[in-house]
Structure formats: C-alpha cells, structure tokens
Amino acid sequence: MRIRIVDAFTDRPFAGNPAGVLLLDAFPDDDRLQRVALEVNHSETAFAHRLPAGGEADWALRWFTPATEVAMCGHATLATAHVLHTAGAHEGPVRFATRSGVLTATPREDGTITLDFPTAPLTPVQTPAGVAEALGAEPRTVLDTGPNIGDLLVEVADEQTVRGLAPDLGALAAHSERGVIATARAEDPARGYDYVSRCFFPNVGIDEDPVTGSAHTALAPFWSERLGRPDLTGLQASSRSGRVRTELRGERTLLSGHAVTVIDGELLV
C-alpha cells in the first residue's frame, strides 16, 4: 500500500498537522487499520477508497488516531483531498462518505482546499468542578460542542493565557468525550488572525493536536457571534502552528487551508 504523510493547514513542510493518507481498493478489517494508524503515530491517519459512480459520494473515508477511530477529522480530510488532486486520482470537488455524513472538499485557484463540514452545536454549560485546575487557567465561558466533536470549548482570558497553558492531561481527560479546546481573542488582529486556540485530546491518545479542523466547526460559530463576522481566521498556537480560515454558513462551516506532501512511500506489510 502506498502511504503519504501530508502536513495540513500549512503552506510549508514541517508545520501544520501531519496526517497519514492511504488510498485503498477497499477497507481491510478494523484491527489492521488501527495497527497502521498506530505505526504512523500521527494524530490521525486517513483511509479512503473509491465508491461506485452515481452515488451521493465519490470516496469512502475513515480516520484513526493511534488509539481509536474518530467520527470527524478536518486536517486528515484536507490531507486526503490534497493527495487525490496531486496524484490525479480525482478532479474538482470530492465528496467523502464518512461517519459524519457526506463531507465535500473543493480545490481553489489560490491552492487552498475548502472543506464543507457541519457546524458544531454549542451549548453553554456550568464550568465542571476541577476543569480550571486541570487546564491551569480560569475559564470565562464553557460550552459543550455536541456529539460529532465531543469536546469542551473553554474561553480563557487572553492569547498569552492560551499560549502558556500546560494542562494536567490526566485530570483533563475526565471532563469530556474527546478533550478540551482552549481559546481566546487575538491580541493583535493585524497579525492576520482573529482568535487563537489549542486542543488537548487525551481521551483519543493525542496530548495536544497541532491543528484541528473539526475544532474550528465550534470555534467558527463561537467567534463569529462575538466578532460579528462570518469570515474569520483562527491560529492554532501549538508548537507546529497552523491557520484555518473559517466561513460560517448556518448549519455548515467552511474550513480552508493549504497542504504539503512531505513523505511518499510504501507500506511493506
């Protein structure tokens, strides 16, 4: 099987979020998919195979962390669409059949790819006991992000607080299905981004995700309401860093970014 490693939500190698991408004839058993994802050992590995013509989707797509299969992944979807287009396996918009419904990825003239994802339903909740201590910062606002995402979205005081977080991941794992998205307004929007975030997902084997497309389906409605604009840019302030352009369209959120293939090889076993 041919395997590629793609850095997503970045226009340069060794930044953004790396994902493994494998294009298959059909999905093998789940155990094999999980073992490959563990071997790749990036936050997600995407597996895709072509579907018969004439259906509602063009390719079937699944995503695995090193520990488990997940219901939605933005950066690995972007990476898969990038591989399909650069390898000549698909032209134009591509429709993926996934556990979160049909997701579309559309290449743009500027070299970016735009993903069409469902907007996360945000529900304000009381700050759970222990979250502030586990995160290492006092929450201003806490919201549940719904079943597709499975995170707590936590607004903190400012950008420097987000950048300085060093959470107790073991304690944080008790407070959500997947993990916690920490966010704050950008200190200086002139730098080209409107808000910052970091994502901690200990429950799916990811201490900190470098750039998380799915999290931006919650960040987009949260910040669009506060900033009064549907079109925003988020900076995920991990050590690798990456930017996600978001456009809120009611029940759908568009996520746009670049991708770069950094490894192209063969899985021998």
Side-chain angles (χ1 to χ4, degrees), residues 28-49:
D29 63 80
D30 289 3
D31 180 67
R32 177 155 175 78
L33 296 177
Q34 188 63 72
R35 287 176 179 271
V36 171
L38 178 59
E39 186 73 13
V40 173
N41 204 34
H42 287 315
S43 56
E44 264 88 13
T45 298
F47 301 91
H49 70 77

Side-chain angles (χ1 to χ4, degrees), residues 175-191:
H175 296 291
S176 66
E177 181 180 344
R178 182 173 71 166
V180 169
I181 307 164
T183 188
R185 189 187 300 247
E187 185 177 275
D188 181 7
R191 294 175 179 168

Side-chain angles (χ1 to χ4, degrees), residues 192-207:
Y193 55 91
D194 301 289
Y195 58 90
V196 295
S197 65
R198 288 175 67 191
C199 294
F200 307 101
F201 302 143
N203 287 331
V204 293
I206 303 168
D207 289 348

